[in-house]
Amino acid sequence: MKRKRCDMEETTKKKKMTEIGSAIEELSVLSIAKTTIVTTETESTCIINLPLKPLLSFCKLIIQVLDKIGPTMAVLRQDIDQNIQRLEKMWESDPILYSNLVEILRKEAKEGSTKKPKSCSRAALWLTRAMDFTLELLQRLVKDMSQNMEQAVLESYNLTIKPWHGWISAAAFKVALKLVPNNNTFINVLAAKDESNQMVQDDIRSLISLLIPLLRQLHSILELYEVHKLKST
């Protein structure tokens, strides 16, 4: 029993050494939002909780994963970082009130500032789209590890982010696409020391299983506050 416990602790320690393992850990402790709808004769009130800080910590780990893809992700990476900073600044203004992402969206909806270029609602939207891209890419990789990495990145981008990007950002992405590493190189840099490709794939599948319900909840919240169709400015 003691030996088994030591093995489990060693496995956990190894996972913490990788971006994927850390992302799994962060999502595991993130309390997925639950929605309660209270209806009266005059209105329906939605009580939703989505802890902001664990979500932002996870988004920071996404940046580290995207860094492994290289310069192609520079535009998206910078966008993620700026949006994290914007939401962190709001959180710092009142850590108790804004510990819940939904309170920030609700505040801006009441103020009518949701659609402003520098709104936190837009920041949350683009972080969600970055997660959409990450999920799509990881799903493609675990489905067929032999596929062309450049093609996988391009198709993931076309499905998740390109429809919302302006032509300048889309053009910048296209130019950098040739710098994408091959799939084996990408998987190898995600792996911890002595971790096999199969172990990395298993970690990616675990991450995917946690990310899908989170994104489902995020999209529901963004749609509730009519943020989901905003394009880049």
Side-chain angles (χ1 to χ4, degrees):
M1 185 69 178
K2 185 176 180 181
R3 175 64 180 175
K4 185 176 181 181
R5 187 182 298 112
C6 290
D7 289 343
M8 290 174 63
E9 290 175 355
E10 185 63 29
T11 299
T12 301
K13 188 182 297 183
K14 183 170 68 174
K15 280 183 178 295
K16 290 180 180 179
M17 295 171 62
T18 68
E19 289 79 7
I20 295 295
S22 296
I24 291 171
E25 186 177 80
E26 203 65 56
L27 280 186
S28 296
V29 301
L30 178 60
S31 187
I32 302 302
K34 294 182 179 179
T35 304
T36 302
I37 301 179
V38 180
T39 304
T40 65
E41 292 183 359
T42 56
E43 63 177 353
S44 293
T45 303
C46 295
I47 303 172
I48 311 170
N49 179 50
L50 186 56
L52 179 62
K53 289 298 285 183
L55 180 65
L56 295 183
S57 294
F58 173 70
C59 290
K60 290 176 182 179
L61 290 168
I62 286 181
I63 290 179
Q64 295 179 34
V65 173
L66 294 180
D67 279 342
K68 308 299 184 183
I69 301 176
T72 302
M73 295 293 99
V75 173
L76 182 58
R77 185 196 189 286
Q78 182 179 19
D79 185 64
I80 295 172
D81 190 49
Q82 290 175 346
N83 289 323
I84 289 173
Q85 291 180 35
R86 193 179 307 165
L87 285 165
E88 282 185 329
K89 186 176 181 179
M90 177 65 80
W91 175 81
E92 289 168 357
S93 70
D94 192 331
I96 296 177
L97 177 60
Y98 299 129
S99 62
N100 180 7
L101 172 63
V102 182
E103 289 302 326
I104 297 175
L105 300 182
R106 184 178 290 125
K107 171 184 180 292
E108 292 189 339
K110 288 181 178 179
E111 295 173 348
S113 59
T114 293
K115 297 181 180 180
K116 290 185 177 180
K118 301 298 182 182
S119 72
C120 287
S121 297
R122 278 187 181 273
L125 172 65
W126 280 99
L127 286 178
T128 300
R129 288 171 178 167
M131 285 186 270
D132 285 336
F133 168 81
T134 303
L135 174 62
E136 182 67 29
L137 178 59
L138 293 178
Q139 286 177 320
R140 287 175 180 274
L141 288 177
V142 295
K143 184 177 180 180
D144 180 8
M145 296 299 295
S146 64
Q147 69 180 295
N148 181 274
M149 183 70 176
E150 180 183 329
Q151 188 66 23
V153 171
L154 177 61
E155 291 176 357
S156 299
Y157 172 78
N158 287 344
L159 282 172
T160 60
I161 295 179
K162 186 178 180 180
W164 312 104
H165 252 172
W167 70 270
I168 294 178
S169 296
F173 182 90
K174 187 175 181 179
V175 168
L177 191 60
K178 298 298 181 183
L179 300 173
V180 170
N182 62 51
N183 56 336
N184 284 333
T185 299
F186 180 63
I187 294 298
N188 287 337
V189 295
L190 287 178
K193 185 179 180 181
D194 299 326
E195 189 174 24
S196 67
N197 280 5
Q198 184 59 53
M199 293 170 69
V200 177
Q201 291 177 52
D202 291 342
D203 282 350
I204 292 175
R205 288 189 180 94
S206 297
L207 178 59
I208 288 171
S209 68
L210 292 167
L211 190 50
I212 288 174
L214 172 63
L215 282 169
R216 188 181 299 123
Q217 187 66 55
L218 275 166
H219 281 290
S220 295
I221 293 170
L222 293 170
E223 187 172 355
L224 178 66
Y225 289 96
E226 300 182 350
V227 183
H228 59 301
K229 292 185 178 180
L230 297 180
K231 294 189 176 184
S232 60
T233 53

